[in-house]
Amino acid sequence: METWGSIVHIESILLIVLLGLNIIFAAAVVFFERKDASSSWAWLLVLNFIPVLGFVLYLLTGQNLTRYRLFQWKDRKKLGLEERIEAQLDQLQSNRTPFHNKVTEKSQDMIYMNLKQNGALLTEDNEVEIITDGTDKFQRLLDDIEAAQDHVHVQYYIYRGDRLGKRIRDTLIRKAKEGIKVRLLYDALGSRRVSNRFFKELREAGGLVEVFFPSKFSLINLRMNYRNHRKMVIIDGNLGYTGGFNVGDEYLGLNSKFGYWRDTHLRITGNAVHALQTRFLLDWNEASKQHDTPYVPAHFPHIEGTGTIAMQIVSSGPDAETEHIKNSYLKMINGAKHSILIQTPYFIPDASVFEAIRLACLSGIDVRIMIPNKPDHAFVYWATLSYIGELLKVGAKAFIYDNGFIHAKTLIIDSMVASVGTANIDYRSFRLNFEVNAFMYDETIATALVQTFEHDLLVSRELTMEEYNKRSIKIRFKEAISRLLSPIL
């Protein structure tokens, strides 16, 4: 009996210690991490209802990156672009900017914001090709890589070692053997299934490969947050790609779980490519330990742009205090007069974005949101449906894409201003991941994206308020829990 009593006594002490530590950890969330209120409450909920496991989850996903100064990008020189940024700011402030179209002129407050806060230069000589099919995208990309004369810079969040991954790798190997400078950067977590050995022959051919934010452990990566979600390819400094496609067979529609993969990617020529190049080099130099790449003219050749599309390349990430892409989304939504079209696989807006969309609905603006018909992350999907349901009440229209899986990240306002990039409308894209978006001020490209949206409507079904109200108690419970946890999903 004494032994049993001792065990009970020890267990009681351990329980008290664990509860005490849990209170300390909860206090740290509120007083030291300086998160926004919704995120703090979500973590307090997790820590209190799942004391031990909750703390482990917090260590893996919840810490605030800006406190630890892991990244020093804001202290780096912008590769010689400071003078151009200051000159453009001065032109905007003194109303001396010779805008090439009325849409750009009407958007100058947003342009100024992105230029001032993010160093996003406005370029107005771009040609843009919208690509929505994976087979088309990667064939175009491979053809462009084959035609490279100086360098190929590749960056993806997910790079798989499957058939498509091998095809791109082998093409890069051939170009490296020709003397073309190849640099490939991938995210350690997103590309965790591809081994370092997979790129051995590319390195042997002279190509350089770097990994973003790798784990200290060889087999597992515990750093769930602060991932580089950007997808960019820059060829010879005058041709660029960015958008939603990663590298993997599923993006060709070859995964039976998702079926056809519907995404949106941009092929860009013009001086906006220099902005993509700048972003790549900053990311590359942060990830590289021995292959830092300085500003050299070959990376930024003179471009006689023949296009007419005005564009800013805006990047954001947890190393910055300002949520640049989210602020641009807000600026677009708040400036809408007639229509707001959204395509996103994850719709978990924070309070500011949700309220902006809600007010647009209440103002009689045509708000249409398109989401997938299946989840690739269950909690995220249920939270998405919860937010969609709230907006249906105030007049928004929601559409479920039924022709496979839609992964596009597009926002189009009044058929005038459009955004395509890597950022979803969720907390993770706004605060936790490194993202890049192209904001385009052009009626022609915006109209083309509207037509793409309308084409997708042909293979989508509308989610009505009546149908939404018929969901089961089980689904309502899933939505409620996911909505509570949405700030940390």
Side-chain angles (χ1 to χ4, degrees):
M1 292 296 293
E2 288 184 8
T3 301
W4 175 252
S6 298
I7 293 174
V8 171
H9 180 66
I10 292 172
E11 289 179 345
S12 299
I13 292 174
L14 287 174
L15 180 60
I16 292 171
V17 170
L18 285 174
L19 291 175
L21 289 174
N22 203 66
I23 292 172
I24 294 171
F25 298 147
V29 171
V30 176
F31 296 109
F32 296 105
E33 287 297 320
R34 298 181 182 178
K35 296 174 178 290
D36 66 291
S38 59
S39 181
S40 294
W41 279 112
W43 275 116
L44 287 172
L45 182 69
V46 170
L47 289 169
N48 280 286
F49 280 89
I50 323 174
V52 179
L53 180 59
F55 176 61
V56 174
L57 290 173
Y58 176 73
L59 289 178
L60 296 180
T61 66
Q63 298 177 78
N64 189 340
L65 181 65
T66 56
R67 290 183 58 218
Y68 298 99
R69 296 185 176 274
L70 294 177
F71 301 87
Q72 303 297 330
W73 291 340
K74 63 183 179 181
D75 298 324
R76 289 180 178 271
K77 292 183 178 180
K78 299 288 185 177
L79 299 178
L81 297 178
E82 294 93 336
E83 292 182 2
R84 292 180 60 193
I85 292 170
E86 289 300 323
Q88 202 168 87
L89 283 171
D90 182 62
Q91 283 187 324
L92 286 168
Q93 287 177 314
S94 58
N95 295 316
R96 292 184 291 107
T97 303
F99 295 112
H100 294 178
N101 66 60
K102 291 183 179 179
V103 175
T104 312
E105 186 174 0
K106 290 179 180 179
S107 305
Q108 59 183 301
D109 53 347
M110 177 174 167
I111 292 167
Y112 181 88
M113 178 189 74
N114 287 330
L115 182 63
K116 180 72 173 179
Q117 297 296 317
N118 195 241
L121 282 166
L122 174 70
T123 58
E124 298 184 89
D125 64 346
N126 303 291
E127 293 184 47
V128 175
E129 178 184 347
I130 301 168
I131 307 175
T132 61
D133 177 80
T135 300
D136 292 343
K137 185 258 178 170
F138 288 106
Q139 188 57 59
R140 291 286 276 146
L141 177 62
L142 286 164
D143 290 343
D144 287 332
I145 292 174
E146 290 281 11
Q149 298 297 309
D150 184 78
H151 64 270
V152 179
H153 292 162
V154 179
Q155 178 175 350
Y156 282 101
Y157 170 62
I158 294 174
Y159 195 114
R160 301 211 191 280
D162 54 19
R163 192 170 13 174
L164 177 62
K166 291 176 181 176
R167 189 179 174 196
I168 293 175
R169 178 203 60 185
D170 292 346
T171 303
L172 293 174
I173 290 171
R174 286 199 302 274
K175 297 306 292 185
K177 289 180 178 178
E178 292 174 12
I180 303 301
K181 197 65 175 178
V182 173
R183 294 179 177 86
L184 188 149
L185 173 64
Y186 63 90
D187 184 83
L189 183 66
S191 305
R192 61 190 177 276
R193 296 180 186 176
V194 67
S195 68
N196 190 50
R197 190 169 56 255
F198 180 80
F199 296 107
K200 180 182 178 182
E201 190 176 348
L202 176 57
R203 291 188 176 96
E204 291 174 346
L208 301 176
V209 181
E210 296 289 352
V211 184
F212 182 86
F213 213 1
S215 172
K216 295 179 181 179
F217 306 99
S218 59
L219 298 179
I220 57 174
N221 195 324
L222 301 179
R223 295 166 169 173
M224 303 294 292
N225 288 338
Y226 320 127
R227 308 316 317 182
N228 200 316
H229 195 239
R230 295 169 182 143
K231 300 100 176 165
M232 299 183 293
V233 178
I234 303 94
I235 299 170
D236 294 340
N238 55 32
L239 171 62
Y241 285 83
T242 192
F245 282 108
N246 288 291
V247 175
D249 286 349
E250 67 263 42
Y251 301 97
L252 300 177
L254 300 178
N255 186 307
S256 58
K257 175 183 176 181
F258 296 110
Y260 179 73
W261 191 277
R262 166 66 181 85
D263 221 319
T264 301
H265 221 80
L266 303 178
R267 181 182 184 271
I268 304 167
T269 56
N271 275 285
V273 177
H274 285 180
L276 288 174
Q277 184 80 288
T278 300
R279 182 69 268 164
F280 174 85
L281 292 177
L282 289 170
D283 286 9
W284 174 269
N285 287 341
E286 189 59 45
S288 174
K289 299 298 182 290
Q290 55 185 345
H291 301 126
D292 275 19
T293 302
Y295 176 92
V296 293
H299 292 154
F300 298 89
H302 176 70
I303 298 175
E304 286 288 350
T306 59
T308 59
I309 295 172
M311 180 187 302
Q312 285 178 297
I313 301 297
V314 178
S315 57
S316 64
D319 58 324
E321 294 292 339
T322 303
E323 298 165 0
H324 299 295
I325 291 178
K326 188 194 85 169
N327 287 346
S328 295
Y329 283 170
L330 278 171
K331 194 72 174 173
M332 290 174 67
I333 294 166
N334 288 330
K337 303 298 182 184
H338 308 290
S339 64
I340 300 172
L341 304 184
I342 298 171
Q343 290 178 309
T344 179
Y346 319 121
F347 185 75
I348 309 179
D350 68 0
S352 61
V353 174
F354 179 80
E355 193 60 23
I357 298 174
R358 181 177 175 276
L359 287 175
C361 293
L362 292 172
S363 301
I365 293 171
D366 178 20
V367 176
R368 289 182 279 172
I369 305 169
M370 187 178 293
I371 60 173
N373 67 351
K374 64 191 75 173
D376 62 341
H377 302 291
F379 279 107
V380 173
Y381 192 72
W382 299 123
T384 289
L385 289 178
S386 173
Y387 284 103
I388 292 291
E390 288 291 311
L391 291 176
L392 289 176
K393 295 177 184 178
V394 292
K397 293 181 180 179
F399 299 91
I400 311 298
Y401 184 81
D402 275 334
N403 190 40
F405 187 79
I406 189 164
H407 190 250
K409 301 99 166 45
T410 61
L411 174 62
I412 313 142
I413 304 301
D414 296 339
S415 299
M416 296 287 184
V417 180
S419 171
V420 172
T422 68
N424 300 299
I425 297 183
D426 64 3
Y427 287 81
R428 186 161 292 278
S429 286
F430 293 161
R431 297 180 185 144
L432 299 178
N433 284 343
F434 297 91
E435 309 281 2
V436 63
N437 275 39
F439 289 88
M440 296 166 285
Y441 312 96
D442 183 89
E443 187 173 1
T444 301
I445 198 71
T447 299
L449 287 165
V450 169
Q451 292 171 349
T452 300
F453 187 99
E454 291 173 345
H455 184 266
D456 290 332
L457 287 177
L458 300 177
V459 288
S460 303
R461 58 185 170 85
E462 185 172 358
L463 175 63
T464 64
M465 193 75 242
E466 181 181 7
E467 180 184 350
Y468 181 74
N469 286 334
K470 290 180 180 179
R471 65 200 191 285
S472 67
I473 296 296
K474 182 179 179 180
I475 291 178
R476 290 170 190 257
F477 177 76
K478 289 179 179 179
E479 284 187 15
I481 295 299
S482 299
R483 180 69 174 262
L484 283 172
L485 297 176
S486 62
I488 60 175
L489 290 177

